[in-house]
Amino acid sequence: MLTKSNLPASDYVINPYVGCPHGCKYCYASFMKRFTGHNEDWGTFIDIKRCSKQISKNKLKGKTVFLASVTDCYNPYEEKYCITQSILKQLMDVECTVSISTKSSLILRDVELLKQFKDASVAVSINTLDESFKNDMDKASSIEARMNTLKVLHENGIHTVLFMSPIFPAITDYKEIIEKSRLFVDEYWFENLNLRGKYKAWILRYINEKHPQYADLYKQIYVDGNKDYWDELGEEIEVYCAEHSILHTNFFYHEQLVRQKKVNKLKLGK
């Protein structure tokens, strides 16, 4: 269950499932398919991980743990199999920092469990307020349900993060999302849309068909490799968050953050 992490903000990741029925059209984790032996399309299958061995408390002491990096740990199958819930019960008494990321309101089932953690946060991914656009992109909980999830978690004293990911150029309105959620969100994470692999062509085709007014912009960014849009948006977000005292992290340049993490580890001799 426990894997060392290259993510910028975590030491270990736990992925209770392989695959994810949320079927996000922009899912970077689709590369996992080549390790599974599945012929089905990514997003149409799931493997349930079972492990009788207990998670090592000593290994995680003082570390950060993230659930999950290549699946949604609260996908619909969690309701039946409770793998994530069983993992959280093991982590509850461990002196570590636990972060959970999900697009599902199912996490509210475990509110009482999460309240017992000394250092835990929950990030809910929202990149639009348009339910139609959301439905084009994933099969997870509605935007309204995700907002309510953040609100309920916040009311129960759990640190909430709105993970604005992925930001679609000219489509995601970060100010609108912040204004709608700020009363019950403690922190914001921002991540840009990266296009690679098979889903790049699908997204570009979708933009050409559904949002042709932005086709040239997407070509500049994802075909010509122009990074000006992200540089300018990143600066704009920094100014906006500073002016409104909003706690946030910008993950636009993920690869740079990963490299910096490796450099820091080398400096510390780890």
Side-chain angles (χ1 to χ4, degrees):
M1 288 292 187
L2 204 60
T3 306
K4 282 191 174 181
S5 170
N6 284 325
L7 295 174
S10 63
D11 298 305
Y12 290 93
V13 296
I14 298 177
N15 289 291
Y17 303 91
V18 178
C20 181
H22 286 165
C24 301
K25 294 296 193 297
Y26 46 75
C27 184
Y28 66 87
S30 56
F31 75 89
M32 287 290 294
K33 181 184 172 182
R34 64 177 178 264
F35 304 116
T36 66
H38 284 273
N39 293 320
E40 309 96 311
D41 290 337
W42 181 258
T44 64
F45 67 85
I46 193 165
D47 293 336
I48 315 298
K49 287 188 180 181
R50 298 186 183 277
C51 182
S52 58
K53 186 178 180 180
Q54 293 291 300
I55 294 172
S56 171
K57 292 185 178 182
N58 290 333
K59 184 180 289 187
L60 292 181
K61 188 174 182 180
K63 303 295 184 180
T64 55
V65 185
F66 180 66
L67 286 85
S69 59
V70 292
T71 188
D72 192 315
C73 56
Y74 280 99
N75 69 77
Y77 288 88
E78 169 63 18
E79 187 169 10
K80 176 180 179 180
Y81 292 100
C82 300
I83 307 297
T84 300
Q85 186 181 69
S86 67
I87 290 169
L88 290 176
K89 287 178 178 177
Q90 293 182 58
L91 295 176
M92 192 166 56
D93 296 323
V94 180
E95 294 180 20
C96 65
T97 299
V98 176
S99 295
I100 302 168
S101 180
T102 184
K103 288 184 173 77
S104 174
S105 58
L106 179 58
I107 193 172
L108 293 181
R109 178 200 64 186
D110 293 336
V111 165
E112 293 304 315
L113 182 59
L114 292 168
K115 286 166 66 174
Q116 298 178 58
F117 278 77
K118 295 178 181 178
D119 192 357
S121 65
V122 175
V124 177
S125 296
I126 297 174
N127 67 352
T128 181
L129 298 181
D130 182 347
E131 294 286 359
S132 178
F133 178 76
K134 172 264 160 197
N135 290 335
D136 285 345
M137 290 298 153
D138 69 62
K139 300 174 185 176
S141 296
S142 67
I143 299 303
E144 182 180 3
R146 296 183 208 182
M147 286 288 187
N148 181 64
T149 297
L150 284 164
K151 186 176 182 180
V152 173
L153 291 168
H154 182 76
E155 289 171 347
N156 279 274
I158 297 162
H159 186 84
T160 54
V161 178
L162 193 152
F163 193 10
M164 213 174 295
S165 170
I167 291 176
F168 274 70
I171 294 175
T172 300
D173 188 332
Y174 76 91
K175 291 181 182 179
E176 184 182 32
I177 295 172
I178 290 174
E179 288 167 5
K180 187 174 178 63
S181 61
R182 195 173 174 196
L183 291 177
F184 46 85
V185 169
D186 297 304
E187 184 177 356
Y188 290 86
W189 295 348
F190 301 95
E191 185 175 51
N192 56 329
L193 173 68
N194 284 300
L195 295 183
R196 60 175 72 89
K198 292 182 179 179
Y199 63 87
K200 178 177 180 177
W202 189 94
I203 293 291
L204 292 178
R205 186 167 60 250
Y206 173 87
I207 295 298
N208 287 334
E209 293 174 359
K210 295 290 187 73
H211 300 278
Q213 69 273 32
Y214 304 135
D216 286 343
L217 174 62
Y218 277 70
K219 179 181 180 297
Q220 290 173 29
I221 298 171
Y222 298 109
V223 178
D224 301 336
N226 191 323
K227 296 182 179 180
D228 289 349
Y229 179 87
W230 296 120
D231 291 339
E232 292 170 8
L233 182 61
E235 291 178 10
E236 183 182 316
I237 288 173
E238 290 298 326
V239 171
Y240 181 85
C241 289
E243 289 177 348
H244 295 83
S245 302
I246 294 171
L247 182 63
H248 69 286
T249 302
N250 185 343
F251 291 108
F252 278 12
Y253 299 105
H254 184 269
E255 293 179 356
Q256 293 179 17
L257 292 171
V258 170
R259 286 197 295 270
Q260 187 58 50
K261 178 182 176 180
K262 291 179 179 179
V263 170
N264 292 341
K265 281 188 173 183
L266 288 172
K267 288 180 178 177
L268 293 172
K270 293 182 179 181

